[in-house]
Structures are given as C-alpha cells and as structure tokens.
Amino acid sequence: MHVHDDPDIESAELAVRLAGGDREALAEMYRRWSPLVHTVALRALGTREDAEDVVQQVFVAAWRGRGTLRPERGSPAAWLVGITKHRVADVRTQRYRAHRNLQALASEVVTEPATPHDSDWAERLLLVHELERMGDPRATVLRMAFIEDRTHDDIARTLEMPLGTVKSHVRRGLLELRDRLKEVERVASD
Amino acid sequence: MSHPTDDELVDLALGEPVDADRSAHVEQCAVCSASVEQLRRTARLASGSESYAGWHAPDDAVWARVTAQIDADDPLRAEVPDTATAGTAYAPEPGPADATVTPISAGAARVTRRRAAAWGAALVAASLVVGLLAGRAIWSPDESGSVSQVALKTLDTRQREGEASVVRTGDGLDLTVVTDRPLDAGDGYLEVWLINADGKRMVSVGVLRPGETGTFPISQALIDQGYVVVDISKEQFDDKPAHSGDSLLRGQLPA
Ligand SMILES: [Zn+2]
C-alpha cells in the first residue's frame, strides 16, 4: 500500500493559517504554487516579464484578500488560479488599450493583431497540478480514464483492480476536479 | 422525482449506462443538465492536459518583490486579520501614500518596489536619452531654428491641448513639448514618447512635469528613421518601462 501525506489536509491547514494572518503560510503557499501561477500566466501572456508581474500581484492580492479564502473548499491552488485569471485579464485589457491607441495614431499604420489565446489554459494547468498531487491509485486511474481515454474495464484489468473500485475513483476524482473548477470560476468572476 | 445522485450524474456525463428514468429526468431538469455539462467540461479539460510541457518557476527575485510590497502596506492594515480585508483581494493598489518619488538615500531602511520602480523607469529613460545624445554627435551641425511643429490633440475628441516643436540647436535637435493646461498625471507621472510611424516601435524621450514645458534632446537620425509621432502618456509607478497604453495627447510631426 502506497502511503503519502494527505495533501488536502495540509492545504486546508495552510488556508486557515493564511486567513489568520500568518506570513509564513504565505511563504509556504508561494513555494508550493508559484510555479503553477507562473506557468498559467506565462501560457496566457507569453512573456516572462508580464508573467512574473502577475505572480507578484497574485501573491500580494492573496495576502491582502486572505479573508476571501474559503478553507472548507479545499486546496488554495484553485483560489490562486482564480486570482491569476483576474490579473491576466487585467494585463490583456491594458494590452488591448495599447494596441488600440497605437492603431489610432495613423490611418495607414499596420499593427500586429492581438494574439489569439486558449482561454482555458488556467483550468487545464490547474487540473494537471491537481492530478499530480492527488496521489495514487486515483491519479493513475483518472489519467488512464481521461488522458489515455481507456475504458473502465480496461483500467480494471491493467491495474488488477475491481471494476467497482475503478468506477468509484473516477466518480470521486471527477467530482473533486469539478469542484476545483467551480472555485476558480467563483474567484475569477468576483 | 428527486435529482439523481452525483455518481449517477458523473456516469451520465461519461456516457456510462444509467437507468432510463434518471436520464429522462436530467433532460428536463435545468439544474442536473447544467451539472452534467460542467462534469463533461471538466473531463474535456483534463483530457487535454497531455500536451502540457512542464512547470516554470518564477525568478527568485519575485518573492522578494512580494514581501517588499506587503511590507510597504500600511502596517496597521496589514496586521488586521481577515474581516477587515475581506473582499479587497482585487482592490486597486494603495494610493499616493507610497507613490511619491523620493531619492533613494544610502541609509534608506526600506525601498518599496514602487520607489524602486520609479527609479527603474527613470534609469531606462535616462539610458535612452544617453543613446539619443550619442546619436547627436554624428549629426553635422546646421543653422539653428525651428524645424517643424505640430498640435498635440486628445485621441478621442481630437481637441488641441498642446504643441510639440522640434528646434535645431547648435549640436542637434531639441523636442519641446508644451500643454495648454497642466495634464493630470493622477498618482502616476507623464512620459513623452516618440512613436515610429510604423506603429510598432517607440522610444521614451523623457518625463514631463505637469504644467511645465519639457525640452528633450533628440537626434536627426531618430526623425529620419520615422520616429515622428509625439505622444504624452500617463504612466504608473509600476516598474514597467514600456508605454502604459494610456495616451493623453498625440501629434505627428510633418515630414
Ligand atoms: Zn435534477
């Protein structure tokens, strides 16, 4: 039997400590989740400078708005990703304004069109992160079910696991991931 | 009939067999069908994660910037726990209190990032000016006098609110910017730019104090390369040397 720390319990503790004003909790959150926040921002914005600015803003906002964290909703990762989406949208708005102003300067001026983007990067990366930290065997079952697109029967045979256990991991895993996305949505649309 | 269980909704979302009466309910229930759609979206997003290439940690300096900014917050406010700051996660940066640019003295205990930022921007501007001055040296002196001038207008209403002129001096060109009334820099500052007519490149020529006339040395080479659009922007003390995108006045020098 694979033994691991329960990441949910640790994360919930961090959330409670942060809400209580513990600066060390913020530092620990930064250690854990700044690569997630940075990668989301980097994917969405394309430049390291902008992405690092977003990381800075997100953790400052996390500190200033620590009262809006809901520890009962589990991992603060989703909360941070929600704030990140907010900040990324702000940067995009600024870029759009800059773009528009440049366009206004001369009628024959040609400017680069705004870069198209996949608006789901934040959610996708959060799910990658959640699958990484979820622990086995659930993480393996979910990867096989969603990423490798294998049937539940196939997974059960491969992992030598009862079919009912596979189904139960898929169900609980998907519901958990769904809750993370809901949390992102709640924070990002604030 | 009551709503199906979460497990049944997952099975429906994933196309697993479910009792006919359950799926009939979902088809007619807005709450359940929204729930199923959300689960399908989650599965879709999870399935796309194979193209993921790896995590990128931010530079170590970023954490130092976070702590410096938090330290710069009003200490009283920073110490008040949760309820006092609830709902302020996305509040704008605190106001002018620490936005004032003050010289960094050797013994300054805490240099906030905003101050560092302002000086960073000033340094960038200064280095550009140095670059422009270097350009002047190769320009051969000519007679003094006005070369060209243009009205500076607001971008939206095209209202004339100032003027820019380029004057030939003994050893180069001076760009002089005058506004009819002091421009409002808010809690930021005003920056003068020369934007290339191609709309893609620009250089900062200096910082304009509200209500004052600004004179900035530029080079003929810059004009020749097409940097002929004079632009005054409102900038924040945000450590971003690039144009904020917030242009107040603009005018294109005649050829
Ligand atoms: Zn229902």
Side-chain angles (χ1 to χ4, degrees), chain A residues 16-124:
Chain A
V16 170
R17 281 169 53 203
L18 183 81
D22 180 351
R23 275 277 284 266
E24 188 46 46
L26 184 72
E28 178 59 27
M29 286 172 68
Y30 186 89
R31 276 191 287 276
R32 278 190 201 194
W33 293 303
S34 62
L36 169 64
V37 169
H38 185 244
T39 306
V40 168
L42 199 55
R43 291 281 194 178
L45 297 171
T47 76
R48 224 182 150 93
E49 189 190 350
D50 282 343
E52 290 186 344
D53 273 342
V54 166
V55 173
Q56 178 185 356
Q57 289 169 20
V58 166
F59 283 91
V60 169
W63 177 252
R64 291 181 181 158
R66 56 195 180 275
T68 66
L69 180 55
R70 300 275 173 271
E72 71 277 10
R73 293 188 193 243
S75 168
W79 181 68
L80 290 170
V81 168
I83 301 177
T84 307
K85 284 197 75 171
H86 227 279
R87 294 299 177 175
V88 162
D90 287 350
V91 174
R92 285 225 174 94
T93 306
Q94 283 166 9
R95 281 190 185 173
Y96 173 75
R97 276 196 320 173
H99 176 67
R100 190 195 54 199
N101 281 350
L102 282 174
Q103 278 187 323
L105 77 92
S107 49
E108 57 279 312
V109 160
V110 182
T111 46
E112 300 288 326
T115 337
H117 60 269
D118 175 356
S119 59
D120 291 332
W121 266 119
E123 285 83 356
R124 288 182 191 282

Side-chain angles (χ1 to χ4, degrees), chain B residues 33-78:
Chain B
S33 43
S35 207
V36 166
E37 183 41 45
Q38 217 165 21
L39 288 162
R40 285 201 177 122
R41 175 166 182 264
T42 306
R44 239 183 357 255
L45 289 172
S47 72
S49 53
E50 60 191 329
S51 59
Y52 150 82
W55 302 116
H56 302 271
D59 190 86
D60 289 345
V62 178
W63 173 245
R65 277 154 47 179
V66 171
T67 52
Q69 203 177 347
I70 290 173
D71 286 342
D73 281 352
D74 182 338
L76 286 174
R77 195 182 133 198

Side-chain angles (χ1 to χ4, degrees), chain A residues 126-147:
Chain A
L126 176 65
L127 295 185
V128 170
H129 169 81
E130 293 292 334
L131 283 172
E132 280 183 359
R133 57 159 276 286
M134 196 173 265
D136 280 328
R138 182 170 297 169
T140 302
V141 170
L142 291 182
R143 272 196 205 94
M144 291 170 86
F146 298 128
I147 301 178

Side-chain angles (χ1 to χ4, degrees), chain B residues 3-4 25 29 32:
Chain B
H3 301 294
H25 165 94
C29 172
C32 287

